[in-house]
Amino acid sequence: MTVTGALLFSACSGTSGDGDTETDDAGINTESAVTVAWEAPLNELNLSSSNGNATQNAIINYVLNSGFSYYDADLNLVQDESFGTYEKVSDDPLTIKYTFGDDTKWSDGTPVDATELLLDWAGQSGKFNTVEAETDPETGEVTNQAEVDAGVYFDGSDPGIALISQNPEISEDNKSITVVYDKPFGDWELSWTNEFVPAHVVGQKALGIEDAEEAKAAVRDAILNNDTAALSKISKFWNEGFQFTSLPEDPSLYVSNGAYTLEDYKENQYLTLKANPDFKGKNKGSVDTITVRYSEDPMAQVQALENGEVDLIGPQASADVRTALEALDGVETHSGIEGTYEHVDLVFQNKGPFDPQTYGGDAEKAKAVRQAFLLTIPRQTIVDNLIKPLNPDAEVRNSNILIPGSPNYDQMVAENGSDFYDPSKAAENIEKAKQLLADAGVATPVKVRFAYNNENTRRVNELALITDTASQAGFEIVDTGRPAAEWGTLLATGQDQYDASLFGWQSTSTAVTESDANFRWAPNPGVNNYGQYNNPAVDAALDKLQVSTDPEEQFQLQLEVEKNLWADGFGVTIFQFPAIQGWDENLKGVESITISPTIFHGFWNWTFEG
């Protein structure tokens, strides 16, 4: 089933610019509105939590909240000194001081200050966690709920922030905070950008303190004093308190500190953002209203653009979409690639077909089953049938870390062991998979529960191809796909309900350590390690990569990671996403970038002319 209804509602079309328009004192055109179509709806405003760490949330957060830095159109990192400043105080030890601006405030008037950064440090460093949730592999239910409720468990994770083990130092006016890294970290400038949640709201809701400043102080004191009783409540709210799929009745749950505020949100239909006239930052909203209309159907997005129901779209690309979009009058289009790649990952610790526990702890047998299954993924067929009609130069991606065409990509592919799964040898791969299962003594059919977004047409088509080829080698695919609104939660927390997953990883930065979150297990699992992959050699290479500044050494460490991933049967990469965008020719200032937030980038430059 594909959702199309979201775009059938009456939409706010863009102001054409004819005649005079009204502008308020903040420079906002109060008669203008831009409507954007997007595929997956917002489900959380805490980007640092395990559930909130998703593109569908990041794009909305980008419009709602400012930060210390952002990317320009050429992917150069730009400091936003109107939000605050940061400076390197020392290289040995690496010491960074952040200072929040005097005019940087939440939309309810409460200052944004050092406590916000302190709280995010607590949430992602792993320092304060005293317990982890244990689940029943059959039902997925938490089996130690009383222990979790009594303990402290922040479910965020960031390998760089985890290198800050000692309490940060906060200035007396609470405007500045200084952090000291335990060892050098090359990507420190990307540790904190715009992912903060309102600490005063966390204190109010978790600790029952009404006054905003008192609530914020209580959060700050709980962290600095390691007050486990208070942190238990704080961590639970931090993990879950900012999750919602429609406009909450409590407006404190969606306060923002940027150019726009959240005004309305109808579940799976649309979300409305209103320019904040009190915002004092650099990148002010240029149009009064931004409405995001949700539709998973790319062709429905094109139709909505043609009908004037939306002004800007970035649908999942297909040959039909491209043809239809380029045929529209009065529409600008742009094609390219995205910073997202498609891949299949396997689950290692759920007592499923890829878990050694299923075979009495026999790790080699489990690995053979993983390798056999991955050999059946028809990667070349997927690219030929679904991607090449959009991009004739498309190729199978054979690296977990590097983008095709980037420096070192060819050397990486030549040396990382991906040739074991040579996509050009489809028939041979099926026979190889059969032999692996036979040699391992594994009875067929092997059932594989497959999770994916079943409202995404391309992924439905991919799964059909996978189901066919996997069956030829003795695997039975069990479709455990979910709708877009439920899919992200299943992926992050429902490992007991699936064995393989199909989705895309989108780059959000240019950090050399960005992939750390995908593959790390210790000392804290990476926030994107949904397959619960655990290899100490990979963790050790990632540890070294964190502190390396030499490009050749960085590549060798990335190569070490990849050799292990391919040998272990972590998963397979498939293709780099093709990209296509279209917008009303009267909408000026659209400047999409390859990484998140893609088409929302530079929203402060949007204007209507003509």
Side-chain angles (χ1 to χ4, degrees), residues 127-147:
K127 174 178 177 177
F128 298 97
N129 290 357
T130 63
V131 64
E132 289 195 21
E134 299 173 1
T135 58
D136 185 314
E138 301 297 328
T139 66
E141 294 181 358
V142 176
T143 58
N144 63 334
Q145 191 63 56
E147 184 182 356

Side-chain angles (χ1 to χ4, degrees), residues 175-235:
K175 286 293 183 183
S176 297
I177 182 169
T178 302
V179 300
V180 179
Y181 288 80
D182 299 337
K183 54 185 178 180
F185 179 56
D187 289 324
W188 66 265
E189 200 169 0
L190 295 167
S191 289
W192 283 288
T193 53
N194 72 334
E195 64 273 25
F196 305 112
V197 296
H200 66 289
V201 174
V202 174
Q204 289 171 326
K205 304 305 176 185
L207 304 178
I209 300 172
E210 184 175 347
D211 181 80
E213 288 301 329
E214 290 180 11
K216 177 175 286 195
V219 170
R220 182 169 61 250
D221 291 344
I223 296 171
L224 295 177
N225 297 320
N226 197 5
D227 181 345
T228 56
L231 287 174
S232 177
K233 300 174 183 178
I234 290 170
S235 63

Side-chain angles (χ1 to χ4, degrees), residues 354 356 362-372 421 436 567-569:
F354 308 125
D362 190 335
E364 288 303 311
K365 180 175 287 191
K367 182 169 77 171
V369 177
R370 292 194 300 270
Q371 292 175 331
Y421 308 92
L436 279 169
D568 290 339

Side-chain angles (χ1 to χ4, degrees), residues 26-274:
I28 300 166
N29 184 340
T30 56
E31 292 184 354
S32 63
V34 173
T35 303
V36 186
W38 192 259
E39 58 180 5
L42 171 81
N43 63 28
E44 184 168 353
L45 284 179
N46 181 3
L47 300 189
S48 296
S49 76
S50 62
N51 182 73
N53 181 42
T55 301
Q56 67 207 69
N57 302 322
I59 53 130
I60 301 301
N61 183 77
Y62 176 78
V63 182
L64 286 175
N65 294 307
S66 293
F68 285 107
S69 61
Y70 61 92
Y71 285 105
D72 67 13
D74 297 316
L75 299 187
N76 298 306
L77 196 64
V78 179
Q79 288 195 44
D80 184 354
E81 295 187 357
S82 67
F83 179 87
T85 60
Y86 55 88
E87 60 176 321
K88 183 193 293 185
V89 177
S90 170
D91 282 307
D92 188 16
L94 179 60
T95 306
I96 313 299
K97 180 180 181 180
Y98 295 86
T99 302
F100 290 80
D102 291 337
D103 291 328
T104 304
K105 297 179 180 180
W106 295 105
S107 51
D108 64 3
T110 306
V112 181
D113 57 33
T115 308
E116 267 73 29
L117 194 149
L118 181 74
L119 176 58
D120 198 74
W121 167 71
Q124 297 202 78
S125 66
K127 174 178 177 177
F128 298 97
N129 290 357
T130 63
V131 64
E132 289 195 21
E134 299 173 1
T135 58
D136 185 314
E138 301 297 328
T139 66
E141 294 181 358
V142 176
T143 58
N144 63 334
Q145 191 63 56
E147 184 182 356
V148 170
D149 290 342
V152 179
Y153 178 57
F154 290 98
D155 69 3
S157 174
D158 183 277
I161 293 174
L163 297 176
I164 305 168
S165 63
Q166 66 186 56
N167 281 356
E169 180 181 329
I170 296 177
S171 63
E172 289 187 11
D173 63 2
N174 209 41
K175 286 293 183 183
S176 297
I177 182 169
T178 302
V179 300
V180 179
Y181 288 80
D182 299 337
K183 54 185 178 180
F185 179 56
D187 289 324
W188 66 265
E189 200 169 0
L190 295 167
S191 289
W192 283 288
T193 53
N194 72 334
E195 64 273 25
F196 305 112
V197 296
H200 66 289
V201 174
V202 174
Q204 289 171 326
K205 304 305 176 185
L207 304 178
I209 300 172
E210 184 175 347
D211 181 80
E213 288 301 329
E214 290 180 11
K216 177 175 286 195
V219 170
R220 182 169 61 250
D221 291 344
I223 296 171
L224 295 177
N225 297 320
N226 197 5
D227 181 345
T228 56
L231 287 174
S232 177
K233 300 174 183 178
I234 290 170
S235 63
K236 182 174 180 60
F237 187 85
W238 189 89
N239 294 342
E240 304 172 357
F242 297 99
Q243 295 180 13
F244 55 84
T245 55
S246 61
L247 193 72
E249 293 183 5
D250 185 348
S252 71
L253 299 179
Y254 53 89
V255 296
S256 57
N257 65 51
Y260 286 82
T261 58
L262 179 58
E263 292 294 308
D264 197 8
Y265 185 17
K266 299 298 184 185
E267 186 166 0
N268 291 327
Q269 298 180 26
Y270 66 87
L271 177 152
T272 303
L273 307 169
K274 190 81 169 177

Side-chain angles (χ1 to χ4, degrees), residues 488-509:
T489 301
L490 171 69
L491 180 67
T493 63
Q495 286 86 346
D496 61 298
Q497 301 168 55
Y498 70 89
D499 308 304
S501 59
L502 172 69
F503 64 105
W505 264 330
Q506 181 174 44
S507 296
T508 58
S509 77

